[in-house]
Amino acid sequence: LVVAERSALPLINIQVVSESGATTTGKVEDGVLAEGSWFLRDKGTARYDANELAAAKDAIAMQVGLYPGDERSTLSYSILTNYLDDSLAIANELLVHPIYPEDELAKFRTQAEASLANREKNPGQSAGSYFNRAIWGEDKPIASIWTAEHLAQLTPENLKSFGESNVMPSNTTIYMVGDIKLEEARKAVSMAFGKWKSAALPRPIAIGAALPPKARVILVDQPGSVQANIRAGHKLPPYRAEDFTELAVMNGVFGGSFEARINMNLREDKGWSYGMRSGIAQNTSGDMVLTVSGSVQIDKAAESMQEILKEFQEFVSTRPGTTAEFDREILNRTRSIPGRYETSSGFLGSMVAADAYGLPMDYAQSQAERLAALTLEGVNARAEDTLHPDQITWVVVGDLAQMEESI
């Protein structure tokens, strides 16, 4: 239990985080079980059917978010202080007593099958999944892609069994920020979850290393498409807190913001794209991944790839980051700090993230100091260590009849 008191409003923001996700068993086939068992927790419990559960939440204005992840899964909501006990009783039902009714599972399958059918017709929607699989390999849970066969294997029994075996008090933390004191929170949580018992729990399997990087282009046909959906990038070393602020600023100059080089090139200068960004996907137990992503005019796919490659090459050779770019990124990030953490939900998110990475709970508090300590020379050196133009994996989804020959 982690509590931070903020008593300006009679409101408490709560996240319940379980260290159980799509990758934690190390088995590809368990990814769908992990996600399905989390998504469907609010569709019926030992005490409530789906409609009764919805009514119980509505009665106390409790809007629950269920977010399955790779390494962790989260139940989150905000609640008026005087309804805390009622809300935790409902959270207990969702976490400890879900029953996965067959009729609700059938609805879920139908919705998921419709989504899969749509992706078959519009493979551009799955460009990120294809890129993920190219980076990690198909035998890694982090790169699993849902299929109709996976959905057919879901049953109330195996969903319940997976949840009971992988979500326990010993791997679950409750975080609260708001109008609550630690002792009050401890008493309320004990009353709601005191009878929840842990059994032996296997150690989570680390995400580990991505595939050895190599330059390649993977094309996926989407006949009739007027845009090409591009993913380009490569793996990075695992997350290190002492490096990440510098890495984030480098990415902000390279492609991580509207004013970054990649977007200025392809959107503002060329007019080939509505937006092209770069991002760094991180986790707590394996490699990170740098990805440039966006859509461009189908007849400019090859030229856009050339421009993206040029941005990679020039940043580490003839056109490193400039003082103006560096100062803009530092200023933007510094000015955004108060807005990111002034709300209880923003502060709660920073606490949860810090705890996941083994950092002090107040790690966000020193962000301005970390930014002020950076130098342009350090950011450019970080780019040279990070960006590898000769290792880029490309996944491009579009009408091959219009773009394959030029690529």
Side-chain angles (χ1 to χ4, degrees):
L1 176 65
V2 180
V3 176
E5 184 178 358
R6 279 188 169 189
S7 55
L9 294 171
L11 191 70
I12 306 170
N13 285 269
I14 298 172
Q15 284 195 25
V16 184
V17 180
S18 170
E19 293 182 11
S20 172
T23 69
T24 47
T25 69
K27 300 176 182 177
V28 173
E29 61 271 22
D30 283 351
V32 175
L33 274 175
E35 294 183 6
S37 70
W38 203 261
F39 277 132
L40 289 163
R41 284 179 180 272
D42 65 346
K43 301 305 180 186
T45 70
R47 181 178 178 183
Y48 301 106
D49 65 25
N51 292 330
E52 291 168 340
L53 187 56
K57 290 187 292 182
D58 287 346
I60 59 173
M62 179 185 181
Q63 187 170 356
V64 174
L66 292 166
Y67 307 105
D70 290 327
E71 298 174 291
R72 289 163 185 79
S73 298
T74 303
L75 181 156
S76 69
Y77 64 94
S78 61
I79 197 73
L80 290 170
T81 305
N82 58 317
Y83 288 134
L84 174 63
D85 291 346
D86 294 328
S87 76
L88 289 174
I90 291 174
N92 173 274
E93 285 290 314
L94 299 178
L95 289 166
V96 187
H97 304 293
I99 60 172
Y100 307 104
E102 180 58 55
D103 59 333
E104 295 294 337
L105 177 56
K107 294 176 189 176
F108 176 75
R109 281 201 203 96
T110 299
Q111 292 169 347
E113 286 167 356
S115 176
L116 291 177
N118 189 42
R119 286 173 178 263
E120 283 287 324
K121 295 178 181 178
N122 301 284
Q125 296 181 13
S126 298
S129 298
Y130 300 145
F131 177 79
N132 219 22
R133 177 159 288 192
I135 292 293
W136 293 98
E138 62 183 26
D139 61 340
K140 283 275 194 176
I142 195 172
S144 65
I145 299 175
W146 284 38
T147 66
E149 290 74 21
H150 287 138
L151 289 172
Q153 293 169 10
L154 297 180
T155 67
E157 292 75 23
N158 62 19
L159 288 167
K160 191 170 189 294
S161 175
F162 184 91
E164 290 177 346
S165 301
N166 291 277
V167 179
M168 299 183 189
S170 57
N171 71 346
T172 300
T173 302
I174 299 176
Y175 301 85
M176 298 186 185
V177 174
D179 183 28
I180 186 75
K181 297 182 184 299
L182 177 59
E183 284 307 314
E184 295 170 341
R186 184 177 286 129
K187 180 180 177 181
V189 168
S190 178
M191 183 171 65
F193 292 98
K195 295 181 180 179
W196 190 16
K197 304 300 181 184
S198 281
L201 188 67
R203 188 177 182 85
I205 303 299
I207 288 176
L211 294 174
K214 63 178 180 179
R216 54 186 167 160
V217 177
I218 300 169
L219 301 179
V220 180
D221 193 18
Q222 183 175 351
S225 173
V226 298
Q227 291 186 323
N229 199 313
I230 296 175
R231 296 291 187 277
H234 54 69
K235 75 171 190 173
L236 300 178
Y239 173 90
R240 281 167 36 104
E242 54 267 43
D243 299 337
F244 195 77
T245 301
E246 191 171 67
L247 185 63
V249 170
M250 180 224 78
N251 181 61
V253 173
F254 176 62
S257 67
F258 183 89
E259 297 173 292
R261 291 184 175 187
I262 291 175
N263 193 59
M264 288 293 102
N265 183 341
L266 292 179
R267 175 189 164 109
E268 298 301 295
D269 181 36
K270 304 295 191 305
W272 298 341
S273 173
Y274 286 116
M276 187 73 64
R277 297 286 198 277
S278 65
I280 298 171
Q282 61 194 88
N283 58 73
T284 66
S285 65
D287 286 338
M288 299 188 294
V289 179
L290 171 72
T291 310
V292 176
S293 60
S295 297
V296 300
Q297 293 173 212
I298 192 71
D299 60 331
K300 297 297 182 182
E303 291 163 275
S304 296
M305 293 170 67
Q306 291 171 346
E307 291 298 321
I308 293 169
L309 178 59
K310 184 181 76 173
E311 296 294 353
F312 270 90
Q313 293 170 332
E314 291 185 352
F315 205 141
V316 297
S317 58
T318 60
R319 197 163 63 97
T322 66
T323 299
E325 290 172 319
F326 174 78
D327 289 347
R328 182 194 68 225
E329 190 64 22
I330 295 294
L331 183 63
N332 288 344
R333 287 176 176 272
T334 303
R335 285 178 171 174
S336 72
I337 291 172
R340 291 177 62 188
Y341 304 119
E342 69 178 352
T343 65
S344 291
S345 59
F347 184 61
L348 175 60
S350 74
M351 285 172 45
V352 173
D355 201 22
Y357 286 91
L359 300 170
M361 291 291 179
D362 61 352
Y363 186 68
Q365 202 165 6
S366 60
Q367 186 170 352
E369 288 79 4
R370 294 195 301 275
L371 287 167
L374 299 181
T375 65
L376 174 61
E377 293 74 21
V379 168
N380 283 332
R382 180 67 54 194
E384 291 180 16
D385 291 340
T386 301
L387 301 178
H388 301 290
D390 59 337
Q391 296 180 3
I392 298 174
T393 289
W394 301 85
V395 173
V396 186
V397 183
D399 188 347
L400 294 190
Q402 299 184 64
M403 70 178 188
E404 183 175 18
E405 184 176 348
S406 59
I407 291 175

